Amino acid sequence: MKIIKAVKIAALLAVILLGGNVAQGATYYSVATGNWAAAATWSTTSGGTPGSVGVPATGPVAGDLVNIEGGFTVTVGATAACATLNIASGSTLTLGAFGITVSGATTINGTLTHNSATGTKLYSGLVTINSTGNWNNTGNSPINFRGGVTNNSGTFTAGTGVYTFTTNAQAISGTISIPSVTVTTITLTNNGTLTVVTALAGTGGLTNSATGTLNIGGLSTTGISVSTLTATAAGNTVNYTGAAQTVKQTTYVNLGLSGTGAKTTAAITVNGVFDVGGAATVVPSAAPTFGAASTVQFSKTAAYTATTTSLPTAFAGTG
């Protein structure tokens, strides 16, 4: 009886261990230019035999670790999924009119091309674009981020699709320009230089960290409709650089108003540098509050008349 029980326990442990291995997924390497869902595109070893033993007929699936390498181009021809995605320098993954779900990290040293607005593109882990990497969204695909994005001096072509940051608190690092940003529920932290020119919206909030520069290039008179904008970290800067714009009512450290047209301000607070430049004019609906160490400057190339409500109430300077 004890022997039988021991055998059963051993068998159970084997099932558990095997199940764990399956859950971790397999690792696949591109060894030919071809379709994601073709065994001949893949090998279980780098530079190995196409369609080698262990490669499923349908290619990698959710949970697998995928490496696009060898200078090959892999094309997604149906909805795809994987645990991690690594694209080597000189190699390309083209998504087309199909969705992809990457449950872990995505590292781009080659090219990731989104050439269609059809299909859900979901990146749950951190997306990193390195110096030889190219994020190409000329297809204007909507993008969903759940782990943030870092641009390490790579090429980032955002297109016009809406980029939604959701589910997990996350961050943007490096220099990135995204026309339309939606932050849903969570807090998105900007640690780099983020430029938004069409929409910054959503039920969540955006925090500009001490190293953050946020450039608001458009948004017209509707202003920023994201729930909260936190810009109180020492050293951070928010610039409104478009035409007529509404400045979000919040506390700023460094605030720049440039571009053209009227910048409408409510009861804002500026604790650092308040810079009015370009052809912008300030139309305050209430006098701003300036901190004890704040600076007001006008970076103008032509004569400009400042309203008293855009200056400190105790202003005693000349010139």
Side-chain angles (χ1 to χ4, degrees), residues 155-231:
T155 300
F156 191 92
T157 303
T160 59
V162 176
Y163 284 64
T164 300
F165 296 81
T166 182
T167 306
N168 306 304
Q170 52 193 289
I172 288 177
S173 301
T175 300
I176 293 178
S177 178
I178 303 175
S180 297
V181 172
T182 296
V183 184
T184 304
T185 307
I186 57 95
T187 296
L188 173 64
T189 300
N190 175 38
N191 294 319
T193 299
L194 171 63
T195 299
V196 182
V197 296
T198 303
L200 178 53
T203 57
L206 188 143
T207 296
N208 221 27
S209 76
T211 58
T213 296
L214 175 63
N215 299 315
I216 310 299
L219 309 188
S220 185
T221 56
T222 58
I224 299 173
S225 60
V226 70
S227 182
T228 59
L229 172 61
T230 303

Short mmCIF file of all heavy atoms in Angstrom, two decimals, residues 155-231:
data_model
loop_
_atom_site.label_atom_id
_atom_site.label_comp_id
_atom_site.label_asym_id
_atom_site.label_seq_id
_atom_site.Cartn_x
_atom_site.Cartn_y
_atom_site.Cartn_z
N THR A 155 14.43 55.06 -32.68
CA THR A 155 13.48 55.80 -33.52
C THR A 155 12.07 55.45 -33.08
O THR A 155 11.71 54.27 -33.04
CB THR A 155 13.68 55.45 -35.00
OG1 THR A 155 15.01 55.80 -35.40
CG2 THR A 155 12.69 56.21 -35.87
N PHE A 156 11.28 56.47 -32.77
CA PHE A 156 9.92 56.24 -32.33
C PHE A 156 8.98 57.02 -33.23
O PHE A 156 8.88 58.25 -33.14
CB PHE A 156 9.74 56.68 -30.87
CG PHE A 156 8.42 56.23 -30.26
CD1 PHE A 156 8.33 55.04 -29.57
CD2 PHE A 156 7.29 57.02 -30.39
CE1 PHE A 156 7.13 54.63 -29.00
CE2 PHE A 156 6.08 56.62 -29.83
CZ PHE A 156 6.00 55.42 -29.14
N THR A 157 8.29 56.30 -34.13
CA THR A 157 7.31 56.91 -35.03
C THR A 157 5.93 56.49 -34.54
O THR A 157 5.51 55.35 -34.72
CB THR A 157 7.53 56.45 -36.48
OG1 THR A 157 8.87 56.77 -36.88
CG2 THR A 157 6.55 57.13 -37.42
N ALA A 158 5.22 57.43 -33.92
CA ALA A 158 4.00 57.08 -33.20
C ALA A 158 2.80 56.89 -34.09
O ALA A 158 1.90 56.13 -33.76
CB ALA A 158 3.69 58.16 -32.15
N GLY A 159 2.74 57.58 -35.24
CA GLY A 159 1.51 57.57 -36.03
C GLY A 159 0.43 58.37 -35.34
O GLY A 159 0.69 59.13 -34.39
N THR A 160 -0.81 58.20 -35.77
CA THR A 160 -1.91 58.97 -35.20
C THR A 160 -2.86 58.14 -34.35
O THR A 160 -3.87 58.65 -33.87
CB THR A 160 -2.71 59.66 -36.32
OG1 THR A 160 -3.22 58.65 -37.22
CG2 THR A 160 -1.85 60.63 -37.10
N GLY A 161 -2.57 56.87 -34.16
CA GLY A 161 -3.41 56.04 -33.31
C GLY A 161 -3.33 56.48 -31.86
O GLY A 161 -2.33 57.05 -31.42
N VAL A 162 -4.39 56.21 -31.10
CA VAL A 162 -4.42 56.57 -29.68
C VAL A 162 -3.58 55.58 -28.87
O VAL A 162 -3.74 54.37 -29.00
CB VAL A 162 -5.86 56.60 -29.15
CG1 VAL A 162 -5.87 56.89 -27.65
CG2 VAL A 162 -6.69 57.64 -29.91
N TYR A 163 -2.71 56.10 -28.01
CA TYR A 163 -1.90 55.27 -27.12
C TYR A 163 -2.56 55.30 -25.74
O TYR A 163 -2.64 56.36 -25.10
CB TYR A 163 -0.47 55.80 -27.03
CG TYR A 163 0.37 55.49 -28.25
CD1 TYR A 163 0.06 56.03 -29.50
CD2 TYR A 163 1.47 54.65 -28.16
CE1 TYR A 163 0.82 55.75 -30.62
CE2 TYR A 163 2.24 54.35 -29.28
CZ TYR A 163 1.91 54.91 -30.51
OH TYR A 163 2.67 54.62 -31.61
N THR A 164 -3.02 54.13 -25.30
CA THR A 164 -3.73 54.03 -24.03
C THR A 164 -2.83 53.38 -22.98
O THR A 164 -2.31 52.28 -23.20
CB THR A 164 -5.03 53.22 -24.18
OG1 THR A 164 -5.88 53.88 -25.13
CG2 THR A 164 -5.77 53.12 -22.86
N PHE A 165 -2.65 54.05 -21.87
CA PHE A 165 -1.87 53.54 -20.74
C PHE A 165 -2.88 53.13 -19.66
O PHE A 165 -3.64 53.96 -19.17
CB PHE A 165 -0.91 54.60 -20.22
CG PHE A 165 0.14 55.00 -21.22
CD1 PHE A 165 -0.15 55.91 -22.23
CD2 PHE A 165 1.41 54.46 -21.18
CE1 PHE A 165 0.80 56.29 -23.16
CE2 PHE A 165 2.38 54.82 -22.10
CZ PHE A 165 2.08 55.74 -23.10
N THR A 166 -2.86 51.85 -19.31
CA THR A 166 -3.94 51.33 -18.48
C THR A 166 -3.45 50.21 -17.56
O THR A 166 -2.32 49.71 -17.70
CB THR A 166 -5.10 50.82 -19.37
OG1 THR A 166 -6.16 50.37 -18.55
CG2 THR A 166 -4.64 49.68 -20.26
N THR A 167 -4.28 49.82 -16.61
CA THR A 167 -4.15 48.65 -15.74
C THR A 167 -3.09 48.80 -14.65
O THR A 167 -3.36 48.56 -13.47
CB THR A 167 -3.86 47.37 -16.56
OG1 THR A 167 -4.88 47.23 -17.56
CG2 THR A 167 -3.83 46.13 -15.67
N ASN A 168 -1.84 49.16 -15.01
CA ASN A 168 -0.76 49.26 -14.04
C ASN A 168 -0.14 50.65 -14.08
O ASN A 168 0.01 51.24 -15.15
CB ASN A 168 0.34 48.23 -14.35
CG ASN A 168 -0.19 46.82 -14.44
OD1 ASN A 168 -0.81 46.32 -13.50
ND2 ASN A 168 0.04 46.17 -15.56
N ALA A 169 0.25 51.17 -12.90
CA ALA A 169 1.04 52.39 -12.86
C ALA A 169 2.31 52.15 -13.66
O ALA A 169 2.95 51.10 -13.53
CB ALA A 169 1.36 52.78 -11.42
N GLN A 170 2.70 53.11 -14.49
CA GLN A 170 3.83 52.90 -15.40
C GLN A 170 4.49 54.23 -15.75
O GLN A 170 4.02 55.29 -15.31
CB GLN A 170 3.37 52.17 -16.66
CG GLN A 170 2.17 52.80 -17.34
CD GLN A 170 1.55 51.89 -18.39
OE1 GLN A 170 2.12 51.66 -19.44
NE2 GLN A 170 0.34 51.40 -18.10
N ALA A 171 5.57 54.15 -16.53
CA ALA A 171 6.35 55.35 -16.81
C ALA A 171 6.78 55.43 -18.26
O ALA A 171 6.89 54.41 -18.96
CB ALA A 171 7.57 55.41 -15.89
N ILE A 172 7.04 56.66 -18.69
CA ILE A 172 7.65 56.95 -19.98
C ILE A 172 9.03 57.51 -19.72
O ILE A 172 9.20 58.40 -18.89
CB ILE A 172 6.81 57.96 -20.78
CG1 ILE A 172 5.52 57.31 -21.27
CG2 ILE A 172 7.59 58.52 -21.96
CD1 ILE A 172 4.59 58.26 -22.01
N SER A 173 10.04 56.99 -20.43
CA SER A 173 11.41 57.48 -20.30
C SER A 173 11.99 57.72 -21.68
O SER A 173 11.62 57.07 -22.64
CB SER A 173 12.28 56.48 -19.53
OG SER A 173 11.77 56.25 -18.23
N GLY A 174 12.94 58.65 -21.76
CA GLY A 174 13.52 59.01 -23.05
C GLY A 174 12.69 60.07 -23.74
O GLY A 174 11.79 60.66 -23.16
N THR A 175 13.03 60.32 -25.01
CA THR A 175 12.33 61.33 -25.79
C THR A 175 11.30 60.67 -26.68
O THR A 175 11.64 59.85 -27.54
CB THR A 175 13.33 62.14 -26.66
OG1 THR A 175 14.26 62.78 -25.79
CG2 THR A 175 12.61 63.18 -27.49
N ILE A 176 10.03 61.01 -26.46
CA ILE A 176 8.93 60.36 -27.18
C ILE A 176 7.88 61.40 -27.52
O ILE A 176 7.49 62.22 -26.68
CB ILE A 176 8.30 59.24 -26.33
CG1 ILE A 176 9.29 58.08 -26.14
CG2 ILE A 176 7.01 58.72 -26.95
CD1 ILE A 176 8.79 56.94 -25.29
N SER A 177 7.40 61.35 -28.76
CA SER A 177 6.30 62.21 -29.19
C SER A 177 5.12 61.32 -29.56
O SER A 177 5.23 60.47 -30.45
CB SER A 177 6.72 63.07 -30.40
OG SER A 177 5.63 63.86 -30.85
N ILE A 178 4.01 61.50 -28.86
CA ILE A 178 2.78 60.73 -29.10
C ILE A 178 1.64 61.72 -29.27
O ILE A 178 1.29 62.43 -28.32
CB ILE A 178 2.48 59.76 -27.95
CG1 ILE A 178 3.65 58.80 -27.71
CG2 ILE A 178 1.21 58.97 -28.23
CD1 ILE A 178 3.46 57.89 -26.50
N PRO A 179 1.03 61.79 -30.44
CA PRO A 179 -0.04 62.77 -30.64
C PRO A 179 -1.19 62.64 -29.67
O PRO A 179 -1.66 63.63 -29.10
CB PRO A 179 -0.48 62.52 -32.09
CG PRO A 179 0.72 61.95 -32.75
CD PRO A 179 1.38 61.10 -31.70
N SER A 180 -1.69 61.41 -29.45
CA SER A 180 -2.89 61.21 -28.62
C SER A 180 -2.60 60.21 -27.51
O SER A 180 -2.31 59.04 -27.78
CB SER A 180 -4.05 60.72 -29.48
OG SER A 180 -4.41 61.68 -30.44
N VAL A 181 -2.71 60.69 -26.27
CA VAL A 181 -2.45 59.85 -25.10
C VAL A 181 -3.70 59.79 -24.24
O VAL A 181 -4.30 60.82 -23.92
CB VAL A 181 -1.28 60.42 -24.26
CG1 VAL A 181 -1.14 59.66 -22.95
CG2 VAL A 181 0.01 60.38 -25.04
N THR A 182 -4.10 58.56 -23.87
CA THR A 182 -5.20 58.36 -22.93
C THR A 182 -4.67 57.58 -21.73
O THR A 182 -4.07 56.52 -21.89
CB THR A 182 -6.37 57.59 -23.57
OG1 THR A 182 -6.91 58.37 -24.64
CG2 THR A 182 -7.47 57.32 -22.56
N VAL A 183 -4.89 58.13 -20.53
CA VAL A 183 -4.47 57.47 -19.30
C VAL A 183 -5.73 57.02 -18.57
O VAL A 183 -6.54 57.86 -18.16
CB VAL A 183 -3.63 58.39 -18.41
CG1 VAL A 183 -3.14 57.64 -17.18
CG2 VAL A 183 -2.46 58.99 -19.19
N THR A 184 -5.91 55.72 -18.45
CA THR A 184 -7.14 55.17 -17.86
C THR A 184 -6.90 54.69 -16.44
O THR A 184 -6.14 53.75 -16.22
CB THR A 184 -7.68 54.01 -18.72
OG1 THR A 184 -7.88 54.48 -20.06
CG2 THR A 184 -9.00 53.50 -18.18
N THR A 185 -7.49 55.37 -15.47
CA THR A 185 -7.50 54.98 -14.06
C THR A 185 -6.15 55.15 -13.37
O THR A 185 -6.06 55.71 -12.28
CB THR A 185 -7.97 53.52 -13.88
OG1 THR A 185 -9.23 53.38 -14.54
CG2 THR A 185 -8.15 53.18 -12.42
N ILE A 186 -5.06 54.72 -14.01
CA ILE A 186 -3.76 54.64 -13.35
C ILE A 186 -3.01 55.98 -13.42
O ILE A 186 -3.49 56.96 -14.00
CB ILE A 186 -2.90 53.51 -13.97
CG1 ILE A 186 -2.71 53.74 -15.50
CG2 ILE A 186 -3.56 52.18 -13.76
CD1 ILE A 186 -1.48 54.44 -15.88
N THR A 187 -1.81 56.02 -12.82
CA THR A 187 -0.93 57.18 -12.92
C THR A 187 0.21 56.87 -13.88
O THR A 187 0.91 55.87 -13.72
CB THR A 187 -0.35 57.57 -11.55
OG1 THR A 187 -1.42 57.97 -10.69
CG2 THR A 187 0.64 58.72 -11.68
N LEU A 188 0.38 57.72 -14.86
CA LEU A 188 1.49 57.61 -15.81
C LEU A 188 2.52 58.65 -15.43
O LEU A 188 2.21 59.84 -15.29
CB LEU A 188 0.99 57.86 -17.23
CG LEU A 188 2.06 57.94 -18.33
CD1 LEU A 188 2.78 56.61 -18.48
CD2 LEU A 188 1.43 58.38 -19.65
N THR A 189 3.77 58.22 -15.24
CA THR A 189 4.85 59.13 -14.85
C THR A 189 5.75 59.40 -16.04
O THR A 189 6.20 58.47 -16.71
CB THR A 189 5.68 58.53 -13.70
OG1 THR A 189 4.83 58.32 -12.57
CG2 THR A 189 6.80 59.46 -13.29
N ASN A 190 6.00 60.67 -16.30
CA ASN A 190 6.91 61.06 -17.37
C ASN A 190 8.28 61.37 -16.78
O ASN A 190 8.45 62.34 -16.05
CB ASN A 190 6.38 62.28 -18.12
CG ASN A 190 7.36 62.79 -19.16
OD1 ASN A 190 8.03 62.00 -19.82
ND2 ASN A 190 7.46 64.10 -19.29
N ASN A 191 9.26 60.52 -17.12
CA ASN A 191 10.63 60.72 -16.65
C ASN A 191 11.53 61.32 -17.72
O ASN A 191 12.70 61.60 -17.45
CB ASN A 191 11.24 59.38 -16.20
CG ASN A 191 10.54 58.81 -14.99
OD1 ASN A 191 10.20 59.54 -14.06
ND2 ASN A 191 10.32 57.50 -14.99
N GLY A 192 11.00 61.51 -18.93
CA GLY A 192 11.82 62.00 -20.02
C GLY A 192 11.23 63.25 -20.63
O GLY A 192 10.78 64.16 -19.93
N THR A 193 11.24 63.29 -21.97
CA THR A 193 10.64 64.41 -22.70
C THR A 193 9.48 63.86 -23.51
O THR A 193 9.68 63.14 -24.49
CB THR A 193 11.66 65.08 -23.63
OG1 THR A 193 12.74 65.60 -22.85
CG2 THR A 193 11.02 66.23 -24.40
N LEU A 194 8.28 64.19 -23.09
CA LEU A 194 7.07 63.71 -23.74
C LEU A 194 6.37 64.87 -24.43
O LEU A 194 6.09 65.90 -23.80
CB LEU A 194 6.12 63.08 -22.72
CG LEU A 194 4.71 62.71 -23.21
CD1 LEU A 194 4.79 61.65 -24.31
CD2 LEU A 194 3.85 62.23 -22.05
N THR A 195 6.10 64.71 -25.73
CA THR A 195 5.37 65.71 -26.48
C THR A 195 4.03 65.16 -26.90
O THR A 195 3.94 64.07 -27.47
CB THR A 195 6.17 66.14 -27.74
OG1 THR A 195 7.42 66.71 -27.33
CG2 THR A 195 5.40 67.17 -28.55
N VAL A 196 2.95 65.89 -26.57
CA VAL A 196 1.59 65.51 -26.91
C VAL A 196 0.97 66.66 -27.69
O VAL A 196 1.00 67.80 -27.23
CB VAL A 196 0.75 65.23 -25.64
CG1 VAL A 196 -0.65 64.78 -26.01
CG2 VAL A 196 1.43 64.18 -24.78
N VAL A 197 0.41 66.37 -28.87
CA VAL A 197 -0.07 67.46 -29.71
C VAL A 197 -1.55 67.40 -30.05
O VAL A 197 -2.10 68.37 -30.57
CB VAL A 197 0.74 67.54 -31.04
CG1 VAL A 197 2.18 67.87 -30.77
CG2 VAL A 197 0.62 66.24 -31.82
N THR A 198 -2.21 66.30 -29.75
CA THR A 198 -3.62 66.18 -30.12
C THR A 198 -4.52 66.01 -28.92
O THR A 198 -5.53 66.71 -28.79
CB THR A 198 -3.83 65.00 -31.09
OG1 THR A 198 -3.01 65.19 -32.24
CG2 THR A 198 -5.29 64.92 -31.53
N ALA A 199 -4.20 65.08 -28.02
CA ALA A 199 -5.07 64.84 -26.87
C ALA A 199 -4.28 64.23 -25.73
O ALA A 199 -3.44 63.35 -25.93
CB ALA A 199 -6.22 63.92 -27.25
N LEU A 200 -4.54 64.73 -24.53
CA LEU A 200 -4.03 64.14 -23.30
C LEU A 200 -5.25 63.99 -22.40
O LEU A 200 -5.69 64.93 -21.73
CB LEU A 200 -2.98 65.03 -22.64
CG LEU A 200 -2.38 64.54 -21.32
CD1 LEU A 200 -1.85 63.12 -21.44
CD2 LEU A 200 -1.30 65.49 -20.83
N ALA A 201 -5.84 62.79 -22.41
CA ALA A 201 -7.17 62.60 -21.84
C ALA A 201 -7.20 61.35 -20.97
O ALA A 201 -6.22 60.62 -20.85
CB ALA A 201 -8.21 62.49 -22.95
N GLY A 202 -8.35 61.12 -20.34
CA GLY A 202 -8.56 59.89 -19.60
C GLY A 202 -8.93 60.14 -18.15
O GLY A 202 -8.87 61.25 -17.63
N THR A 203 -9.28 59.05 -17.48
CA THR A 203 -9.71 59.11 -16.08
C THR A 203 -8.54 58.99 -15.12
O THR A 203 -8.74 59.07 -13.90
CB THR A 203 -10.70 57.97 -15.80
OG1 THR A 203 -10.06 56.71 -16.12
CG2 THR A 203 -11.96 58.12 -16.64
N GLY A 204 -7.34 58.79 -15.61
CA GLY A 204 -6.16 58.66 -14.77
C GLY A 204 -5.43 59.99 -14.65
O GLY A 204 -5.97 61.05 -14.94
N GLY A 205 -4.16 59.91 -14.22
CA GLY A 205 -3.38 61.12 -14.02
C GLY A 205 -2.00 61.00 -14.62
O GLY A 205 -1.48 59.89 -14.82
N LEU A 206 -1.39 62.15 -14.93
CA LEU A 206 -0.02 62.18 -15.42
C LEU A 206 0.83 62.95 -14.43
O LEU A 206 0.46 64.06 -14.02
CB LEU A 206 0.07 62.83 -16.80
CG LEU A 206 1.45 62.72 -17.46
CD1 LEU A 206 1.33 62.52 -18.96
CD2 LEU A 206 2.32 63.95 -17.18
N THR A 207 1.94 62.36 -14.03
CA THR A 207 2.88 63.00 -13.12
C THR A 207 4.18 63.29 -13.85
O THR A 207 4.79 62.39 -14.44
CB THR A 207 3.17 62.10 -11.90
OG1 THR A 207 1.97 61.93 -11.14
CG2 THR A 207 4.23 62.71 -11.00
N ASN A 208 4.60 64.54 -13.84
CA ASN A 208 5.87 64.94 -14.42
C ASN A 208 6.92 64.84 -13.33
O ASN A 208 6.87 65.59 -12.33
CB ASN A 208 5.78 66.38 -14.95
CG ASN A 208 6.48 66.56 -16.27
OD1 ASN A 208 6.61 65.62 -17.05
ND2 ASN A 208 6.91 67.77 -16.55
N SER A 209 7.87 63.91 -13.47
CA SER A 209 8.87 63.72 -12.42
C SER A 209 9.91 64.84 -12.48
O SER A 209 9.86 65.72 -13.34
CB SER A 209 9.55 62.37 -12.58
OG SER A 209 10.48 62.41 -13.65
N ALA A 210 10.88 64.79 -11.59
CA ALA A 210 11.91 65.82 -11.53
C ALA A 210 12.70 65.93 -12.83
O ALA A 210 13.21 67.00 -13.16
CB ALA A 210 12.86 65.54 -10.36
N THR A 211 12.80 64.84 -13.58
CA THR A 211 13.53 64.85 -14.85
C THR A 211 12.61 65.02 -16.05
O THR A 211 13.05 64.94 -17.18
CB THR A 211 14.33 63.54 -15.02
OG1 THR A 211 13.43 62.43 -14.95
CG2 THR A 211 15.38 63.41 -13.92
N GLY A 212 11.33 65.25 -15.79
CA GLY A 212 10.35 65.27 -16.87
C GLY A 212 10.17 66.63 -17.51
O GLY A 212 10.15 67.67 -16.84
N THR A 213 10.03 66.59 -18.85
CA THR A 213 9.61 67.76 -19.61
C THR A 213 8.39 67.35 -20.42
O THR A 213 8.45 66.41 -21.21
CB THR A 213 10.71 68.26 -20.56
OG1 THR A 213 11.83 68.69 -19.80
CG2 THR A 213 10.20 69.42 -21.41
N LEU A 214 7.29 68.05 -20.21
CA LEU A 214 6.04 67.76 -20.90
C LEU A 214 5.73 68.91 -21.84
O LEU A 214 5.55 70.05 -21.40
CB LEU A 214 4.90 67.57 -19.90
CG LEU A 214 3.49 67.38 -20.48
CD1 LEU A 214 3.42 66.11 -21.31
CD2 LEU A 214 2.46 67.35 -19.36
N ASN A 215 5.68 68.61 -23.14
CA ASN A 215 5.36 69.62 -24.14
C ASN A 215 3.95 69.40 -24.66
O ASN A 215 3.64 68.33 -25.20
CB ASN A 215 6.35 69.56 -25.31
CG ASN A 215 7.78 69.82 -24.88
OD1 ASN A 215 8.04 70.75 -24.12
ND2 ASN A 215 8.71 69.00 -25.33
N ILE A 216 3.09 70.38 -24.47
CA ILE A 216 1.71 70.31 -24.94
C ILE A 216 1.64 71.13 -26.22
O ILE A 216 1.60 72.35 -26.19
CB ILE A 216 0.73 70.85 -23.88
CG1 ILE A 216 1.01 70.22 -22.51
CG2 ILE A 216 -0.70 70.63 -24.33
CD1 ILE A 216 0.84 68.74 -22.48
N GLY A 217 1.61 70.43 -27.36
CA GLY A 217 1.75 71.13 -28.63
C GLY A 217 0.46 71.52 -29.30
O GLY A 217 0.47 72.22 -30.30
N GLY A 218 -0.66 71.06 -28.78
CA GLY A 218 -1.91 71.37 -29.45
C GLY A 218 -3.04 71.50 -28.46
O GLY A 218 -2.98 72.33 -27.57
N LEU A 219 -4.03 70.67 -28.59
CA LEU A 219 -5.16 70.59 -27.67
C LEU A 219 -6.08 71.80 -27.73
O LEU A 219 -7.06 71.87 -27.01
CB LEU A 219 -4.68 70.38 -26.22
CG LEU A 219 -3.70 69.23 -26.01
CD1 LEU A 219 -3.47 69.02 -24.53
CD2 LEU A 219 -4.21 67.95 -26.63
N SER A 220 -5.75 72.78 -28.56
CA SER A 220 -6.64 73.92 -28.78
C SER A 220 -7.10 74.53 -27.46
O SER A 220 -6.34 74.61 -26.51
CB SER A 220 -7.84 73.47 -29.63
OG SER A 220 -8.66 74.56 -29.97
N THR A 221 -8.33 74.99 -27.41
CA THR A 221 -8.82 75.62 -26.19
C THR A 221 -9.46 74.61 -25.24
O THR A 221 -9.92 74.97 -24.17
CB THR A 221 -9.86 76.70 -26.54
OG1 THR A 221 -10.91 76.10 -27.30
CG2 THR A 221 -9.24 77.82 -27.34
N THR A 222 -9.49 73.35 -25.63
CA THR A 222 -10.09 72.34 -24.75
C THR A 222 -9.17 72.00 -23.59
O THR A 222 -9.61 71.50 -22.56
CB THR A 222 -10.41 71.06 -25.53
OG1 THR A 222 -9.20 70.56 -26.12
CG2 THR A 222 -11.41 71.35 -26.63
N GLY A 223 -7.87 72.25 -23.78
CA GLY A 223 -6.93 72.00 -22.71
C GLY A 223 -6.69 70.52 -22.45
O GLY A 223 -7.04 69.66 -23.25
N ILE A 224 -6.06 70.23 -21.31
CA ILE A 224 -5.75 68.86 -20.92
C ILE A 224 -6.95 68.29 -20.18
O ILE A 224 -7.37 68.83 -19.17
CB ILE A 224 -4.52 68.83 -20.00
CG1 ILE A 224 -3.30 69.40 -20.74
CG2 ILE A 224 -4.23 67.42 -19.53
CD1 ILE A 224 -2.10 69.56 -19.86
N SER A 225 -7.50 67.19 -20.68
CA SER A 225 -8.67 66.61 -20.03
C SER A 225 -8.34 65.37 -19.22
O SER A 225 -9.24 64.70 -18.71
CB SER A 225 -9.74 66.27 -21.07
OG SER A 225 -9.25 65.35 -22.02
N VAL A 226 -7.04 65.03 -19.09
CA VAL A 226 -6.68 63.96 -18.17
C VAL A 226 -7.11 64.39 -16.78
O VAL A 226 -7.13 65.59 -16.45
CB VAL A 226 -5.16 63.67 -18.25
CG1 VAL A 226 -4.35 64.81 -17.65
CG2 VAL A 226 -4.81 62.36 -17.57
N SER A 227 -7.45 63.44 -15.92
CA SER A 227 -8.04 63.77 -14.63
C SER A 227 -7.14 64.67 -13.79
O SER A 227 -7.58 65.69 -13.26
CB SER A 227 -8.38 62.49 -13.86
OG SER A 227 -8.99 62.79 -12.63
N THR A 228 -5.88 64.29 -13.64
CA THR A 228 -4.96 65.09 -12.84
C THR A 228 -3.63 65.27 -13.56
O THR A 228 -3.16 64.37 -14.25
CB THR A 228 -4.69 64.45 -11.46
OG1 THR A 228 -4.13 63.13 -11.67
CG2 THR A 228 -5.96 64.34 -10.65
N LEU A 229 -3.04 66.45 -13.39
CA LEU A 229 -1.69 66.72 -13.86
C LEU A 229 -0.89 67.17 -12.65
O LEU A 229 -1.16 68.21 -12.06
CB LEU A 229 -1.69 67.81 -14.94
CG LEU A 229 -0.29 68.31 -15.38
CD1 LEU A 229 0.52 67.17 -15.98
CD2 LEU A 229 -0.41 69.47 -16.35
N THR A 230 0.10 66.35 -12.28
CA THR A 230 0.94 66.66 -11.12
C THR A 230 2.31 67.09 -11.63
O THR A 230 3.03 66.30 -12.25
CB THR A 230 1.08 65.44 -10.20
OG1 THR A 230 -0.23 65.02 -9.79
CG2 THR A 230 1.90 65.79 -8.97
N ALA A 231 2.66 68.36 -11.36
CA ALA A 231 3.91 68.91 -11.90
C ALA A 231 4.66 69.66 -10.81
O ALA A 231 5.19 70.75 -11.03
CB ALA A 231 3.61 69.83 -13.07
#
